[in-house]
């Protein structure tokens, strides 16, 4: 029996996504036309769900992705703990071959268990997990919120899913994502399980 159901989505597409420019928590980009269309398709598919609360990061691309639900009058909270990882000195820059090599070396180190090592000038996965924990605890402390919608960001979403599903943090890349994909999670009171995994059927 599920005590709480969480619909967890990644934000819709931005122009910086298309241009190969690093975003992260320090870049507050907005949805582009495709992203707005993705948000509308998600709203059309799930507007009948009786959400008790909406949680987003403080970044506008996450808020815009669920604005249709907010406009229905569903209570909404923004939490910086749900922001994307800080990519540090690389935020706002186009990914070059050199940047790519550095990024993939960091991913390899994280996958090998070095999740405490931060991107230069930015955050580590462990730092992201630590700032997410108070938000998770807040959500779980509210039993009256039985069905909630959470919108956030790719890397941060991987970190959160690893935490909720009790995977070692170095296995976070098991959780694939794309713009406006959905993970549907159930909480039994002691554990989470996934009902839908990176679902994008609403976008077709």
């Amino acid at each position: 029996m599920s005590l709480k159901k969480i619909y967890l989505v990644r934000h819709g597409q931005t122009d910086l996504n298309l241009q190969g420019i690093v975003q992260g928590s320090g870049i507050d980009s907005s949805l582009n036309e495709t992203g707005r269309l993705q948000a509308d398709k998600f709203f059309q598919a799930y507007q009948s769900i009786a959400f008790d609360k909406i949680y987003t990061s403080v970044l506008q691309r996450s808020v815009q992705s669920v604005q249709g639900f907010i406009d229905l009058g569903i209570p909404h909270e923004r939490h910086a703990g749900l922001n994307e990882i800080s990519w540090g000195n690389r935020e706002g820059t186009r990914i070059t071959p050199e940047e790519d090599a550095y990024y993939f070396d960091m991913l390899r180190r994280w996958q090998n268990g070095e999740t405490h090592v931060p991107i230069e000038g930015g955050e580590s996965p462990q730092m992201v997990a630590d700032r997410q924990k108070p938000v998770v605890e807040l959500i779980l402390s509210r039993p009256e919120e039985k069905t909630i919608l959470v919108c956030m960001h790719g890397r941060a979403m991987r970190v959160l899913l690893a935490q909720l599903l009790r995977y070692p943090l170095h296995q976070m890349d098991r959780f694939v994502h794309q713009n406006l994909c959905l993970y549907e999670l159930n909480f039994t009171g002691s554990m989470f399980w996934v009902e839908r995994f990176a679902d994008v059927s609403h976008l077709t």
Side-chain angles (χ1 to χ4, degrees):
M1 177 181 164
S2 176
L3 298 180
K4 191 183 291 284
K5 185 179 283 285
I6 298 177
Y7 290 76
L8 174 64
V9 295
R10 185 188 175 208
H11 66 79
Q13 188 187 88
T14 70
D15 281 337
L16 299 189
N17 287 148
L18 279 182
Q19 295 164 11
I21 293 174
V22 179
Q23 293 180 98
S25 63
I27 304 294
D28 195 12
S29 54
S30 61
L31 299 186
N32 62 15
E33 185 176 351
T34 297
R36 291 190 294 272
L37 179 61
Q38 291 168 335
D40 183 62
K41 285 185 173 181
F42 179 71
F43 176 72
Q44 295 302 326
Y46 290 96
Q47 62 181 313
S48 63
I49 302 293
F51 292 113
D52 297 304
K53 179 68 74 66
I54 299 167
Y55 294 88
T56 68
S57 77
V58 302
L59 302 171
Q60 62 177 333
R61 57 190 182 273
S62 72
V63 178
Q64 291 168 347
S65 298
V66 292
Q67 189 64 52
F69 299 92
I70 296 169
D71 290 344
L72 293 177
I74 299 168
H76 168 221
E77 291 182 14
R78 305 182 191 209
H79 290 274
L82 298 177
N83 281 4
E84 179 59 301
I85 192 171
S86 169
W87 294 112
N89 302 343
R90 283 151 179 80
E91 291 189 347
T93 64
R94 193 176 300 277
I95 298 173
T96 63
E98 294 76 21
E99 297 280 353
D100 228 16
Y102 174 80
Y103 173 74
F104 281 106
D105 181 63
M106 288 302 301
L107 285 186
R108 180 189 57 78
R109 293 181 69 182
W110 291 347
Q111 289 164 356
N112 288 338
E114 297 182 63
T115 53
H116 62 285
V117 177
I119 286 279
E120 185 180 27
E123 290 180 299
S124 68
Q126 188 58 57
M127 293 165 71
V128 176
D130 290 344
R131 64 168 162 83
Q132 287 178 353
K133 283 177 184 174
V135 185
V136 172
E137 289 168 1
L138 179 68
I139 289 171
L140 296 184
S141 74
R142 295 170 166 174
E144 71 279 5
E145 296 174 7
K146 297 189 181 302
T147 307
I148 68 172
L149 176 59
V150 179
C151 186
M152 52 192 302
H153 310 263
R155 177 57 55 180
M157 194 165 155
R158 284 177 156 154
V159 172
L160 181 67
L161 285 163
Q163 288 205 80
L164 296 183
L165 296 168
R166 299 179 183 174
Y167 279 73
L169 195 49
H170 70 267
Q171 293 184 14
M172 61 188 161
D173 286 325
R174 287 174 175 263
F175 302 105
V176 299
H177 63 74
Q178 62 189 80
N179 290 121
L180 235 305
C181 71
L182 167 68
Y183 280 83
E184 186 178 335
L185 305 169
N186 291 285
F187 181 61
T188 66
S190 60
M191 64 178 288
F192 281 92
W193 58 277
V194 181
E195 190 166 331
R196 280 189 245 191
F197 186 100
D199 182 22
V200 290
S201 60
H202 50 274
L203 299 181
T204 58

